[in-house]
């Protein structure tokens, strides 16, 4: 049965452990269809996606920063979400929307996925993660990597978001101090 949208929002979790069983090619098509349908400012579509299923490259990408990228070693697929700075001044927003859309499409397909932040992250020696990604994938100068979405089959079910939501963050008709501690 198809999940309602709110059920999808609640069940999506960051999944960092994956089974070895590969993805069906049709799943990859559906993931990318979702990403390509994501809205972009002025419809400029500055997003570019690099699909990585080469194990050596996934390992190299997993080493683009010291923390938070290791799951790419086990992932079936890394989707490197990039933006063209020469196409849109708000490429960060547009690529973020596309990356988010990928996370929810993965959940809709029953797959596990996690956002690996690249922009503004790096190695302890100050090498930017983007520089590592750029050299592994041969990106041209105008194409800036935002994040990598790691994707694989879930090893186990994860707990849905069933916590109390922070409704105090919702303000009506202006800033409401009473909402905050
Ligand atoms: C902009 C952004 C950057 C993130 N970067 C990373 C990352 O580099 N590595 C990682 O393991 N998780 C990363 N995450 C996942 C968050 O840690 C995760 O979404 C958060 O802890 C909430 O958990 P949930 O996704 O299971 O709801 C990122 C999420 C977002 C939205």
């Amino acid at each position: 049965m198809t999940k309602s949208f709110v059920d999808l929002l609640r069940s999506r979790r960051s999944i960092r452990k994956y089974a070895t069983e590969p993805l069906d090619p049709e799943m990859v098509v559906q993931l990318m269809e979702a990403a390509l349908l994501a809205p972009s400012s002025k419809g400029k579509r500055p997003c570019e996606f690099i699909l990585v299923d080469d194990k050596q490259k996934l390992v190299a990408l997993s080493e683009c920063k010291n923390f938070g990228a290791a799951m790419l070693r086990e992932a079936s697929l890394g989707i490197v979400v990039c933006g063209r700075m020469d196409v849109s001044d708000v490429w960060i927003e547009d690529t973020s929307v596309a990356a988010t859309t990928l996370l929810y499409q993965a959940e809709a397909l029953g797959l596990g996925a996690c956002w690996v932040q690249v922009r503004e992250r790096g190695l302890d020696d100050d090498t930017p993660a983007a520089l590592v990604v750029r050299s592994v994938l041969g990106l041209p100068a105008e194409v800036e990597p935002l994040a990598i979405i790691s994707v694989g089959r879930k090893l186990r079910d994860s707990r849905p978001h069933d916590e109390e939501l922070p409704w105090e963050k919702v303000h009506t008709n202006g800033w409401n101090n009473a909402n905050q501690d």
Side-chain angles (χ1 to χ4, degrees), residues 24 54-55 61 71 77 88 90-91 170:
D24 299 337
D54 177 279
K55 282 292 160 199
L61 292 176
M71 77 295 265
L77 181 69
S88 177
V90 291
W91 67 272
V170 180

Side-chain angles (χ1 to χ4, degrees), residues 168-179:
E168 71 280 5
K169 293 183 182 296
V170 180
H171 307 258
T172 304
N173 293 328
W175 185 260
N176 184 351
N177 278 325
N179 282 354

Side-chain angles (χ1 to χ4, degrees), residues 6-75:
V6 73
D7 285 344
L8 189 72
L9 296 172
R10 286 196 177 273
S11 61
R12 183 219 54 82
R13 299 306 308 260
S14 292
I15 304 296
R16 302 179 177 89
K17 301 266 182 216
Y18 311 108
T20 49
E21 192 189 343
L23 307 181
D24 299 337
E26 182 57 27
M27 290 172 159
V28 181
V29 173
Q30 283 183 263
L31 283 166
M32 298 324 299
E33 192 177 353
L36 293 169
L37 282 167
S40 65
S41 172
K42 301 182 182 174
K44 285 188 172 179
R45 296 188 165 171
C47 302
E48 303 278 342
F49 307 93
I50 294 114
L51 304 181
V52 182
D53 61 5
D54 177 279
K55 282 292 160 199
Q56 276 185 330
K57 288 194 175 177
L58 284 169
V59 170
L61 292 176
S62 79
E63 292 166 358
C64 71
K65 57 181 187 172
N66 293 92
F67 301 102
M71 77 295 265
L72 284 165
R73 286 178 163 269
E74 312 301 332

